[in-house]
């Protein structure tokens, strides 16, 4: 009897071990997690530039007026701003290129409590040779707040694409130089990140009443920067 108990215990122990083995096969322990895997590669930053002559200009033209009541001040301001818009249309600025930016009226607490009203529009010019005449017409019509120009290119997106291509070519050249120095071969692109570029400076300028303001476009540098990771072998 005692021998039979011993045999039963031994068989039960074997069954437990077999079950443990099956569980172990079904859920193996990982030798190392995915986060432990090292990604080999060369990461570089390349830059590119495209030079262009601006062919468009954007100005902010506004009218500021003061009065004794909010209603009368806003009404006077609106009439004066309409004269400015009519003057812009008269010198050939398309209606689609005139966009209202801001309309406001409020009490001026710095002096005698009068009201100040402001109205401004953004104006896009597609011919820089006419910029001086347009500003002069607006100023004569009553625009007393004139800011700009912000100069740019009409096909800026195409030029930015060229700058990005130049930046990528620069990044590849840098990576190839590093790969050669390290004695490895450069592989496929593993990742690309475009680095943000700061916009152009917006310079204020007051239009003259006695002469057309000269506008010199100069040259604009459109820059791009990309960070690229290349696999190595």
């Amino acid at each position: 009897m005692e021998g039979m108990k011993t045999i039963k215990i031994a068989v039960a122990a074997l069954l437990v071990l077999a079950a443990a083995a099956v569980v172990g096969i079904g859920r193996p322990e990982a030798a190392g997690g995915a986060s432990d895997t090292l990604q080999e590669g060369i990461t570089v930053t390349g830059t590119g530039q495209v030079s262009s002559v601006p062919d468009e200009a954007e100005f902010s033209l506004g009218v500021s007026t003061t009065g004794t009541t909010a209603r009368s001040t806003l009404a006077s301001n609106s009439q004066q701003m309409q004269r400015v818009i009519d003057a812009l249309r008269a010198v050939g600025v398309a209606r689609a290129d005139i966009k209202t930016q801001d309309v406001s009226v409020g009490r001026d607490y710095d002096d005698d409590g009068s009201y100040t009203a402001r109205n401004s529009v953004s104006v896009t010019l597609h011919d820089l040779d006419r910029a001086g005449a347009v500003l002069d017409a607006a100023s004569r019509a009553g625009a007393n707040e004139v800011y700009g120009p912000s100069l740019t290119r009409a096909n800026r997106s195409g030029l930015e694409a060229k700058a990005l291509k130049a930046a990528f070519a620069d990044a590849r050249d840098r990576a190839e130089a590093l790969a050669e120095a390290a004695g490895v071969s450069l592989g496929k692109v593993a990742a690309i990140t475009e680095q943000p570029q700061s916009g152009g400076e917006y310079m204020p300028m007051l239009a003259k009443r006695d002469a057309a303001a000269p506008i010199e476009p100069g040259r604009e540098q459109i820059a791009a920067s990309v960070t690229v990771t290349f696999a190595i072998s």
Side-chain angles (χ1 to χ4, degrees):
M1 245 354 223
E2 194 170 325
M4 290 293 293
K5 289 182 179 179
T6 303
I7 292 173
K8 288 181 179 180
I9 293 173
V11 171
L14 288 173
L15 291 174
V16 171
L17 290 174
V22 171
V23 173
I25 293 172
R27 299 175 60 185
E29 289 293 330
S35 60
D36 296 333
T37 302
L38 295 178
Q39 297 294 329
E40 295 182 343
I42 296 177
T43 300
V44 292
T45 297
T47 58
Q49 282 193 15
V50 175
S51 180
S52 68
V53 177
D55 58 3
E56 287 189 344
E58 183 176 334
F59 292 88
S60 176
L61 307 178
V63 172
S64 175
T65 55
T66 58
T68 55
T69 67
R71 183 177 181 180
S72 63
T73 304
L74 183 59
S76 175
N77 180 272
S78 299
Q79 291 175 0
Q80 190 167 332
M81 191 67 209
Q82 187 60 55
R83 287 195 293 270
V84 172
I85 293 175
D86 291 342
L88 293 173
R89 299 282 290 119
V91 293
V93 180
R95 185 177 299 277
D97 293 326
I98 304 173
K99 181 180 179 180
T100 298
Q101 290 179 310
D102 177 69
V103 178
S104 64
V105 61
R107 186 181 292 275
D108 189 353
Y109 292 99
D110 293 335
D111 49 31
D112 57 356
S114 61
Y115 287 84
T116 298
R118 286 185 172 86
N119 191 328
S120 63
V121 295
S122 64
V123 178
T124 301
L125 302 180
H126 306 284
D127 182 2
L128 296 186
D129 292 336
R130 296 174 51 245
V134 169
L135 290 176
D136 184 57
S139 179
R140 291 180 183 278
N144 51 20
E145 293 184 346
V146 181
Y147 298 93
S150 175
L151 301 175
T152 186
R153 288 278 303 193
N155 62 333
R156 186 178 180 86
S157 60
L159 296 173
E160 289 175 344
K162 290 183 178 180
L164 284 171
K165 291 179 180 179
F168 178 80
D170 181 50
R172 179 175 285 280
D173 289 343
R174 291 172 181 270
E176 288 176 347
L178 288 173
E180 182 180 355
V184 297
S185 298
L186 201 64
K188 295 181 178 181
V189 174
I192 303 178
T193 302
E194 180 185 0
Q195 303 299 326
Q197 299 293 308
S198 59
E201 189 175 4
Y202 189 69
M203 297 296 293
M205 182 191 70
L206 178 64
K208 297 179 181 180
R209 289 182 177 273
D210 57 349
I215 303 297
E216 297 295 336
R219 297 191 72 84
E220 180 183 14
Q221 298 297 326
I222 299 176
S225 178
V226 295
T227 298
V228 186
T229 298
F230 294 89
I232 58 175
S233 58

